[in-house]
Amino acid sequence: MSELTRIPAPDGVAPAAQYTHVVLGTGRFVAVSGQLALDEDGKPVGEGDAEAQARQVFENLRRCLAAAGATFEDVVKLTFFVTDMAHMSAIRAARAEHIPDDRLPAASAVQVAALVRPEFLMEIEAFAVVSP
């Protein structure tokens, strides 16, 4: 695991709620493509159920990070693409199962008109820094 520094409220910037404004570290950069609510066989999980989809997406992120020798502790940035901002509560709940509040990464949330297939409610990508 790399040593990460979190700056939740840089001078002159209002404190963030549910994310950290700046995260920096030294090490290898890991980019994880946007993950969807697909099981290991590529079948959709939780059609119409934001909570089930969020849990599956975070499990997929965990597996992808592990493949790179990383964990959620190494994540410096998450980007949430959602078809409805109302799904953010399900995402925050799933995120809380993997990342404690005092280790929150930088984050962006973007509402989109659609994702690659209509049954998907969200897609989440991650960036991490791991020890060299």
Side-chain angles (χ1 to χ4, degrees):
M1 179 170 47
S2 70
E3 182 65 33
L4 300 180
T5 301
R6 288 171 174 75
I7 305 170
D11 290 342
V13 178
Q18 300 296 324
Y19 63 94
T20 298
H21 278 294
V22 180
V23 181
L24 58 118
T26 302
R28 289 184 302 117
F29 181 73
V30 176
V32 178
S33 293
Q35 296 298 301
L36 298 165
L38 292 169
D39 67 14
E40 60 191 30
D41 296 320
K43 295 181 181 141
V45 171
E47 190 167 345
D49 182 344
E51 290 178 10
Q53 287 198 17
R55 284 191 304 273
Q56 183 65 50
V57 169
F58 271 89
E59 177 58 19
N60 292 347
L61 287 168
R62 186 195 66 74
R63 290 176 178 169
C64 289
L65 289 164
T71 70
F72 281 106
E73 286 284 316
D74 303 306
V75 171
V76 296
K77 175 80 163 55
L78 292 171
T79 305
F80 311 110
F81 301 96
V82 294
T83 58
D84 186 331
M85 281 297 177
H87 303 320
M88 288 304 300
S89 61
I91 289 171
R92 284 191 290 274
R95 182 190 63 194
E97 294 175 14
H98 297 278
I99 305 171
D101 284 346
D102 66 339
R103 307 289 294 166
L104 292 175
S108 298
V110 181
Q111 184 169 334
V112 296
L115 293 167
V116 67
R117 291 183 3 206
E119 65 267 33
F120 297 121
L121 305 175
M122 65 196 64
E123 181 173 338
I124 303 173
E125 66 182 16
F127 299 101
V129 176
V130 294
S131 296

